[in-house]
Amino acid sequence: MRCLLCVSGAIVFFISSAGAATWWEAHPDPTTWAHEKILLGDTLRSEFTKKKPSDIQPGSDEAEQFRLWQWLDWARTDFTPEEVLAFRALGENSELRRAVLENIRPEDHQDEVLKILLQMQIACPDCLKELPRLAVALALVFDQPFPKRWPHRQVAADTVPTEPVDSVARLQLMTELQRARRFVTDLRDFTVNELKFVIDHPLVASEMEWARKNVTASRSGFGKVFGSIRYDIPRYEANQLVWPYPAYTFSEIRSKGGICVDQAYFAANTGKAKGLPTLYFSGQGDDGGHAWFGFMDSPGHWETDCGRYESQNYPVGNAMDPQVWQPISDTELTFLAKGRERSSAHQQAKLLTDIGKTLEKSDPDRWLEAALLVQPEYLPAWKAQGELLDGGKASPEKRVEFWEKYTKRFSIYPDLKVIGQEKLLQLAKERGDEAAVKSLSRQILVQNRTRRFDLGIGVAAMEVGEKIEAGKWSEAETAFRRALREFKGQAGGNLYYGLIVPFVEAALAEGQGAVAKNALAEARRILRPGKDTLVGRSLIELEAKALPEKKRGN
């Protein structure tokens, strides 16, 4: 189907998604694409004024045209003739185009993403037709270098069998493995956001092939792989937390055994080799740090507690998003585990939010509100509204109203609720409302005293830090002791690393030896750590730092 619309005296094609290729046939000259994008934007805005935002559905003609409008913004004037043809082919692949535009983030390196996709299109066009979402996931993850600390801090980098990743070669290899049914999954079942957790490694191909041949666990029983690696008790008791052998390979880990970081690394990365989305977690429990892993046991459903010890009281596991190498929040993990992004409501909310943030910048609220009507917990729409208020000329009263509404909406998600409360706390400080400051601070501490004590500790640490910066050491010490009492018996490693260590180190740096000494004594009384635990060992080292202060009589 092809429609003709007249905009500002010009005839513009408004085509259906089924005939998307005809747009490119009608506009083969890349020098016209910038102008055609302007005309297409005018056409869409004209059409959208006649409809309610809720009428715009994912996959509709309007949605496809909007994504085409976005894609044209990626065109460059310095394309080679080969790249022009590749860019057009990518644009004609509506599934790939939609996957890119729905998943790209401001933190991504857009030029590098496009470069990777163009290389893929030129080298293996059939791969992009078969596995377009895999191609997009590869481009979004490998558009920037892997962190130097990968895979974790307890292994020397030169012992890990890694290599620079060739995204095109990786796509070709994985397509061949998919065709040969060498994975325990069908990669076509996954979204881009799930495929990121299959391909997020720089390990050499031979290492992954070893895993495919030697790790025989089924998909449903893959959680047992963590425990299949013998725990090296003598190494732990010797406090040898860094891998002590010359090669950090799957075969060596299986042969030598390891501690929790090695078990989690082995399970998570052998899972990726077999086509499973996996997550590597770390967290602080009563006795200190621990690592475990999670995996997708069926499309859209995650198991996230494989190797996690319930008795250690971990408030939340920390995992990294390989697209931008930033921590994944607790709530993002919850939504991920529920497969929420697969819902039609989520997809429509995403579409409407993107329209409001790009095409309809003159009236974004109309589209953001519509997105929240469709999916009330769609976080990007909330964030966009908050940024508009905080960055604009909204009155303090309007901002307070918004963040109170936000806090109420996300009241069952502690990590999101505390964001709203911290915004309200900031606004209360700005207007000098001491009663509100005290009330909000207390609310955050009390509500996060049990299940999400890490958040409460974070707020307590912020209060202590503010007093230290102001040079009010007596008040800082009082706030420190109050926080220790608040979280006595339940916070373990989080309390130690999140509050005690930074407080003591700040005191020592500022010459407050007596304060540091008293803080350490109180910390030992409150925590009562075993001498062989990670916290216990670290506390002994921290106490040793304060010994010179003791000798001076402070």
Side-chain angles (χ1 to χ4, degrees):
M1 174 182 175
R2 184 185 300 188
C3 299
L4 292 176
L5 292 176
C6 183
V7 179
S8 301
I11 300 296
V12 179
F13 286 106
F14 196 80
I15 54 180
S16 69
S17 57
T22 60
W23 188 94
W24 299 94
E25 293 169 0
H27 306 91
D29 183 358
T31 63
T32 68
W33 290 348
H35 179 63
E36 294 298 336
K37 176 181 180 289
I38 294 172
L39 295 180
L40 183 56
D42 291 342
T43 300
L44 287 168
R45 278 184 284 268
S46 176
E47 284 296 297
F48 288 167
T49 60
K50 305 171 187 176
K51 297 186 176 183
K52 296 183 294 185
S54 57
D55 292 336
I56 312 300
Q57 298 288 330
S60 66
D61 290 351
E62 296 93 342
E64 291 299 318
Q65 291 299 302
F66 167 66
R67 296 303 184 190
L68 172 60
W69 175 82
Q70 285 185 295
W71 180 248
L72 287 172
D73 198 47
W74 289 48
R76 296 204 310 258
T77 57
D78 61 347
F79 280 152
T80 66
E82 188 177 40
E83 288 173 335
V84 168
L85 294 176
F87 183 80
R88 170 177 168 171
L90 292 170
E92 290 175 341
N93 187 336
S94 60
E95 184 176 358
L96 181 141
R97 186 184 68 217
R98 186 166 58 249
V100 173
L101 298 169
E102 287 180 351
N103 289 280
I104 190 83
R105 298 187 196 172
E107 301 94 334
D108 284 306
H109 300 174
Q110 181 176 313
D111 288 345
E112 188 64 23
V113 171
L114 179 58
K115 178 182 176 182
I116 293 170
L117 291 172
L118 290 171
Q119 291 171 343
M120 290 175 170
Q121 180 62 42
I122 292 168
C124 52
D126 289 344
C127 299
L128 272 72
K129 291 180 181 177
E130 290 182 49
L131 298 169
R133 292 191 295 277
L134 175 63
V136 171
L138 285 163
L140 293 178
V141 169
F142 294 106
D143 64 325
Q144 50 193 299
F146 263 56
K148 293 181 179 180
R149 65 179 181 275
W150 193 92
H152 55 74
R153 299 181 185 277
Q154 290 172 234
V155 63
D158 60 1
T159 67
V160 186
T162 62
E163 63 183 359
V165 176
D166 182 332
S167 300
V168 177
R170 178 77 68 87
L171 175 63
Q172 291 172 319
L173 174 60
M174 294 187 71
T175 302
E176 291 171 5
L177 292 168
Q178 166 79 7
R179 291 169 181 168
R181 300 183 180 180
R182 295 286 312 283
F183 296 127
V184 297
T185 63
D186 185 336
L187 300 183
R188 294 171 297 183
D189 290 339
F190 299 128
T191 67
V192 170
N193 204 33
E194 294 162 352
L195 285 164
K196 291 186 309 187
F197 299 105
V198 178
I199 53 89
D200 57 331
H201 69 85
L203 295 170
V204 297
S206 59
E207 185 77 346
M208 305 306 275
E209 183 61 21
W210 184 95
R212 283 188 285 273
K213 290 180 177 179
N214 293 281
V215 178
T216 58
S218 66
R219 178 175 182 173
S220 61
F222 205 80
K224 298 177 182 178
V225 174
F226 180 96
S228 72
I229 301 302
R230 175 181 53 82
Y231 194 86
D232 191 343
I233 296 175
R235 181 180 147 201
Y236 174 80
E237 290 179 342
N239 200 28
Q240 198 169 37
L241 303 182
V242 176
W243 180 256
Y245 307 108
Y248 197 61
T249 62
F250 294 147
S251 61
E252 280 291 280
I253 295 172
R254 173 175 279 183
S255 172
K256 300 288 197 303
I259 56 178
C260 60
V261 289
D262 311 312
Q263 294 172 307
Y265 168 84
F266 182 93
N269 287 287
T270 57
K272 296 178 194 299
K274 297 172 76 68
L276 278 172
T278 63
L279 288 158
Y280 174 96
F281 290 104
S282 61
Q284 291 294 332
D286 290 342
D287 293 336
H290 180 52
W292 62 95
F293 92 108
F295 72 101
M296 181 168 277
D297 62 352
S298 61
H301 183 264
W302 288 81
E303 290 288 344
T304 57
D305 292 331
C306 304
R308 180 174 178 170
Y309 306 145
E310 291 185 9
S311 62
Q312 280 293 299
N313 199 23
Y314 301 103
V316 65
N318 301 308
M320 297 297 289
D321 181 345
Q323 182 173 346
V324 292
W325 294 112
Q326 294 177 1
I328 305 173
S329 75
D330 191 28
T331 301
E332 286 172 328
L333 284 172
T334 299
F335 290 167
L336 192 66
K338 291 180 178 179
R340 180 167 291 191
E341 70 166 341
R342 290 171 170 263
S343 71
S344 58
H346 177 97
Q347 293 169 15
Q348 187 178 15
K350 170 65 175 170
L351 173 64
L352 299 179
T353 300
D354 287 351
I355 291 173
K357 291 172 64 176
T358 57
L359 183 67
E360 295 285 3
K361 286 184 177 180
S362 62
D363 187 17
D365 281 338
R366 175 174 176 244
W367 296 89
L368 297 176
E369 287 293 341
L372 293 175
L373 285 174
V374 172
Q375 175 53 270
E377 292 181 347
Y378 186 63
L379 192 56
W382 282 99
K383 286 183 177 179
Q385 284 190 322
E387 289 168 0
L388 286 171
L389 287 172
D390 290 343
K393 297 180 179 180
S395 66
E397 293 77 16
K398 187 74 173 177
R399 293 170 66 196
V400 167
E401 180 185 356
F402 171 81
W403 288 112
E404 285 179 343
K405 183 180 177 183
Y406 171 99
T407 302
K408 183 177 180 181
R409 167 53 62 183
F410 293 106
S411 60
I412 64 171
Y413 304 109
D415 58 325
L416 294 184
K417 181 179 180 181
V418 79
I419 290 173
Q421 289 173 312
E422 287 176 344
K423 286 285 188 178
L424 291 170
L425 183 60
Q426 176 188 339
L427 289 167
K429 289 178 180 178
E430 289 176 1
R431 65 177 183 270
D433 189 339
E434 292 297 328
V437 169
K438 184 176 181 179
S439 175
L440 285 163
S441 298
R442 185 64 183 167
Q443 281 179 36
I444 296 171
L445 283 173
V446 170
Q447 73 195 19
N448 294 302
R449 185 184 291 160
T450 53
R451 189 163 63 93
R452 284 306 306 272
F453 44 76
D454 57 315
L455 299 175
I457 291 168
V459 172
M462 181 174 65
E463 179 188 359
V464 172
E466 289 175 350
K467 296 184 184 303
I468 291 174
E469 288 181 8
K472 300 177 180 178
W473 276 98
S474 177
E475 293 182 21
E477 191 172 13
T478 298
F480 173 81
R481 289 178 177 275
R482 183 169 62 246
L484 288 184
R485 292 193 298 272
E486 289 278 359
F487 297 101
K488 179 180 179 180
Q490 59 188 349
N494 279 279
L495 185 61
Y496 178 71
Y497 293 106
L499 179 66
I500 295 168
V501 171
F503 180 79
V504 170
E505 290 184 341
L508 292 174
E510 293 292 323
Q512 297 288 331
V515 172
K517 177 183 176 182
N518 293 337
L520 285 166
E522 186 71 1
R524 180 166 287 283
R525 186 183 70 81
I526 292 290
L527 294 179
R528 298 182 181 276
K531 65 178 181 178
D532 292 328
T533 65
L534 294 176
V535 169
R537 294 167 183 169
S538 179
L539 182 57
I540 291 172
E541 293 174 0
L542 190 60
E543 287 170 332
K545 288 184 180 180
L547 284 176
E549 298 292 340
K550 293 179 183 179
K551 290 177 181 178
R552 288 199 296 267
N554 293 325

